[in-house]
Amino acid sequence: MDSDLLEFLDSYSAGEAECRMMFRQILAGVGHMHDLGFAHMDLKPENILIQGTDQLVVADMGSSFQWDPMFLPWKSGSAGTSFYCAPEVKSGRPYLADKADIWSLAITLHVMATGFWPYLGQDEKEVLNNAKKGRTNLACQHLSASLHRMLTVMLLRCPQDRPTVQDLLQHEWFHESEESEVQFTPRSYASDEESSLGARMSATSFSTANLSDPFYRSEEHTSELQSLEVSR
């Protein structure tokens, strides 16, 4: 594989047609895991590998959780990366592992489509706190109506109400354009409008690869986060 998805998104601008092509492959991988009784539990762009511009693979199964498909996938204990993991993962109570993956997929897709996490805040600490509590704010001005609707249901606070991977693959957003329309644009040629999105905290300018869960030590890591800007 050539790079991870975070590196790729830092180099190329992805419109919804491109996101649709990539996300379909991501869902196929995660759906296969769920069918086998595994939840990934650390879905994020850094854990998705890409070759060229059209072959994606879900990677890094080190946090994965296995359950007996005869039963619901209840899991206890924290897992994943706090910018991407569902609020119930940090609650200290048992939660449904497959539904936690759906939340992480939504954050990942929002990053793919906009370049930013769906959290607002006056500073990094406030953004971290909103992420911890699951207080999302979608960049709706940069999302189509159907993508906004899909992300909204994926980010429902009640995990049981979130769709399955198969539900998502049937969503209207996946039927809006042909994948032959896919064309990536190098970031150096991105529009001025895209360059002015800095009111939100850029997801592609930070790497969470070495922060397994920054929220549990948010005070300690605030200074670290400030030093994690990357120029690839």
Side-chain angles (χ1 to χ4, degrees):
M1 292 292 173
D2 298 328
S3 66
D4 65 47
L5 185 56
L6 185 73
E7 293 173 326
F8 182 83
L9 293 172
D10 199 36
S11 300
Y12 293 93
S13 174
E16 287 197 17
E18 292 76 27
C19 289
R20 188 176 294 111
M21 179 273 292
M22 293 190 292
F23 198 61
R24 190 192 305 275
Q25 294 184 54
I26 296 168
L27 285 180
V30 176
H32 183 62
M33 290 186 66
H34 287 183
D35 289 344
L36 294 176
F38 288 86
H40 188 282
M41 298 308 303
D42 195 18
L43 291 164
K44 57 184 179 181
E46 294 98 315
N47 287 341
I48 297 165
L49 304 181
I50 183 167
Q51 183 168 352
T53 60
D54 60 356
Q55 296 183 47
L56 287 84
V57 175
V58 178
D60 193 352
M61 311 301 176
S63 299
S64 62
F65 170 74
Q66 183 178 13
W67 73 91
D68 185 338
M70 297 292 293
F71 301 95
L72 290 174
W74 290 105
K75 183 185 184 309
S76 298
S78 61
T81 304
S82 289
F83 285 107
Y84 294 91
C85 67
E88 66 268 17
V89 174
K90 315 177 194 82
S91 69
R93 297 184 296 272
Y95 55 88
L96 294 168
D98 59 338
K99 298 299 186 178
D101 271 356
I102 299 298
W103 178 286
S104 300
L105 285 167
I107 305 300
T108 297
L109 180 55
H110 190 277
V111 168
M112 291 167 61
T114 71
F116 296 85
W117 288 303
Y119 311 113
L120 295 180
Q122 296 300 313
D123 52 34
E124 292 165 11
K125 184 176 179 180
E126 186 177 353
V127 172
L128 283 166
N129 189 55
N130 285 335
K132 178 180 180 180
K133 296 180 178 179
R135 295 173 179 164
T136 58
N137 187 294
L138 300 180
C140 54
Q141 68 272 34
H142 304 293
L143 304 170
S144 67
S146 61
L147 179 53
H148 185 272
R149 286 191 290 271
M150 189 170 83
L151 288 170
T152 297
V153 297
M154 294 173 74
L155 293 170
L156 289 172
R157 293 300 297 268
C158 178
Q160 289 90 337
D161 292 339
R162 294 174 203 154
T164 65
V165 168
Q166 292 306 316
D167 292 334
L168 291 173
L169 287 169
Q170 299 303 314
H171 194 275
E172 59 180 321
W173 182 66
F174 278 107
H175 306 285
E176 290 198 342
S177 70
E178 297 294 330
E179 291 184 1
S180 59
E181 300 176 20
V182 168
Q183 182 177 359
F184 290 95
T185 304
R187 283 286 179 189
S188 58
Y189 298 101
S191 68
D192 292 338
E193 180 181 3
E194 288 176 324
S195 301
S196 67
L197 295 180
R200 290 177 175 267
M201 189 172 175
S202 172
T204 58
S205 67
F206 287 83
S207 172
T208 60
N210 297 316
L211 296 177
S212 59
D213 200 338
F215 283 118
Y216 292 108
R217 296 181 293 167
S218 58
E219 294 289 343
E220 175 184 343
H221 283 299
T222 297
S223 60
E224 288 187 37
L225 285 168
Q226 293 172 339
S227 67
L228 283 173
E229 292 193 27
V230 293
S231 54
R232 303 183 193 271

